[in-house]
């Protein structure tokens, strides 16, 4: 059974159709990189998968369970949507850290808020919060920032802030991790440290969808490449097929332009 099935996703902003029937499936532990020029619909697709945007048409299944159907959106409560969102962790282009909170506080904030909905929260608050902080410290160490636990975002480099963002996305134990061009806001010398963290997650069997312009990285870390063009999946296949031997003319054009940069 697929861990994720995205079916017939449509999304328009005004008269501009951004997604036009996008669909794909992925397996547990698979890494998919999504390539395409600006405006091809890559980020909108991620935002629809994570319910930050509401698709106009389409369905999303996680482990065979329907978690979104555009035809039933009005019938779903905020609590139901929030529960569906917990299947996904999102890492944005910009780090979106809370400047007034330390590294540890940024990572524990959402889990602590969510814990308050537990039936046993009042009677076990201390133990629950202790476990959340323990997990956060393990994640901070996992992304190589153990010495920065009590630092604030303004005291971190861009690469370090993005690593905190990755740890924060992992803190709620999502089934699928989504990356929206995670290195685009970084200087070239900091890009490598983020790609190293993502590669380590891939080695640990994390299921991931990565929107990126890092073609070499996409080729090395991905099980499959999806090339989007004008709101549709124009080409899909192994990294060797799509990057080394593309069949679609738009894919060829895109890759030739990237290669010249």
């Amino acid at each position: 059974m697929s861990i994720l099935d995205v079916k017939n996703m449509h999304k328009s902003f005004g008269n501009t159709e951004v997604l036009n029937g996008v669909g794909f499936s992925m397996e547990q532990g698979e890494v998919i990189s999504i390539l395409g020029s600006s405006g091809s619909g890559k980020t909108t697709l991620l935002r629809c998968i994570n319910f930050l945007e509401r698709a106009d048409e389409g369905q999303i299944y996680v482990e065979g369970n329907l978690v979104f159907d555009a035809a039933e959106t009005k019938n779903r409560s905020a609590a139901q949507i929030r529960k569906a969102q917990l299947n996904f962790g999102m890492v944005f282009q910009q780090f979106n850290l809370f400047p007034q909170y330390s590294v540890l506080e940024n990572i524990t904030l959402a889990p602590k808020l969510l814990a308050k909905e537990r039936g046993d929260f009042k009677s076990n608050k201390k133990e629950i919060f202790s476990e959340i902080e323990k997990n956060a410290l393990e994640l901070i160490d996992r992304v190589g920032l153990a010495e920065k636990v009590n630092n604030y975002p303004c005291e971190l480099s861009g690469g370090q802030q993005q690593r905190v963002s990755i740890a924060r996305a992992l803190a709620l134990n999502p089934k699928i991790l989504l990356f929206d061009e995670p290195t685009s806001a970084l200087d070239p010398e900091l890009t490598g440290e983020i790609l190293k963290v993502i590669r380590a997650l891939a080695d640990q069997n994390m299921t991931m969808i990565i929107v990126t312009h890092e073609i070499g990285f996409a080729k090395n870390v991905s099980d499959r490449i999806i090339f989007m063009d004008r709101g549709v999946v124009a080409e899909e296949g192994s990294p060797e097929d799509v990057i080394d031997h593309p069949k679609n003319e738009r894919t060829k054009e895109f890759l030739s332009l990237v290669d010249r940069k």
Side-chain angles (χ1 to χ4, degrees):
M1 179 187 298
S2 301
I3 190 171
L4 176 67
D5 292 285
V6 176
K7 298 187 176 182
N8 193 38
M9 298 293 280
H10 289 257
K11 178 65 179 178
S12 295
F13 296 98
N15 294 324
T16 303
E17 189 172 50
V18 182
L19 299 178
N20 184 14
V22 175
F24 65 93
S25 298
M26 67 187 306
E27 303 299 322
Q28 170 69 44
E30 188 175 18
V31 179
I32 292 177
S33 287
I34 302 179
L35 307 179
S37 59
S38 297
S40 60
K42 308 182 302 297
T43 292
T44 299
L45 175 60
L46 282 195
R47 291 178 64 85
C48 286
I49 291 173
N50 197 36
F51 313 108
L52 295 175
E53 299 284 355
R54 303 290 177 85
D56 301 321
E57 296 180 41
Q59 299 83 36
I60 299 172
Y61 294 81
V62 176
E63 296 179 330
N65 299 309
L66 180 67
V67 298
F68 174 81
D69 186 343
E72 300 177 356
T73 298
K74 294 181 180 179
N75 299 324
R76 298 177 75 83
S77 67
Q80 288 174 314
I81 293 171
R82 186 166 66 251
K83 182 179 179 180
Q85 282 181 312
L86 292 175
N87 291 294
F88 305 95
M90 185 81 167
V91 180
F92 299 89
Q93 296 180 36
Q94 303 296 330
F95 319 124
N96 294 341
L97 300 177
F98 292 102
Q100 71 273 33
Y101 294 146
S102 69
V103 168
L104 181 61
E105 290 168 333
N106 264 282
I107 295 171
T108 58
L109 178 62
K112 285 182 176 180
L113 289 173
L114 190 65
K116 293 180 180 180
E117 300 179 7
R118 289 176 51 166
D120 63 341
F121 176 72
K122 289 185 178 179
S123 58
N124 295 297
K125 177 181 177 180
K126 184 175 180 180
E127 292 79 6
I128 291 170
F129 277 9
S130 177
E131 184 63 28
I132 288 172
E133 291 193 4
K134 178 184 176 182
N135 181 59
L137 289 170
E138 290 174 353
L139 290 171
I140 292 169
D141 183 63
R142 188 173 172 185
V143 298
L145 291 174
E147 75 285 0
K148 301 291 186 180
V149 170
N150 297 313
N151 286 75
Y152 290 85
C154 65
E155 300 173 313
L156 305 177
S157 70
Q160 290 170 334
Q161 290 185 60
Q162 190 62 298
R163 282 189 273 163
V164 175
S165 298
I166 294 172
R168 180 179 59 183
L170 291 168
L172 292 174
N173 195 30
K175 293 181 173 70
I176 302 163
L177 203 55
L178 309 176
F179 291 88
D180 184 15
E181 298 191 22
T183 61
S184 65
L186 300 177
D187 294 330
E189 63 267 23
L190 298 177
T191 295
E193 65 184 71
I194 300 305
L195 299 183
K196 182 179 179 181
V197 172
I198 297 173
R199 183 176 286 110
L201 291 172
D203 292 340
Q204 296 160 15
N205 207 41
M206 186 73 204
T207 308
M208 295 184 285
I209 302 174
I210 307 168
V211 168
T212 182
H213 283 103
E214 298 286 341
I215 304 301
F217 173 75
K219 180 178 178 180
N220 290 330
V221 77
S222 307
D223 299 297
R224 188 152 42 106
I225 301 290
I226 289 176
F227 178 75
M228 289 187 64
D229 179 53
R230 301 172 187 176
V232 301
V233 175
E235 190 161 1
E236 180 179 356
S238 69
E240 292 75 16
D241 287 341
V242 176
I243 294 177
D244 293 337
H245 307 288
K247 297 180 178 63
N248 182 277
E249 290 303 318
R250 296 283 293 180
T251 311
K252 294 177 183 178
E253 180 183 351
F254 170 79
L255 292 170
S256 68
L257 291 172
V258 172
D259 287 343
R260 287 200 292 269
K261 291 182 179 179

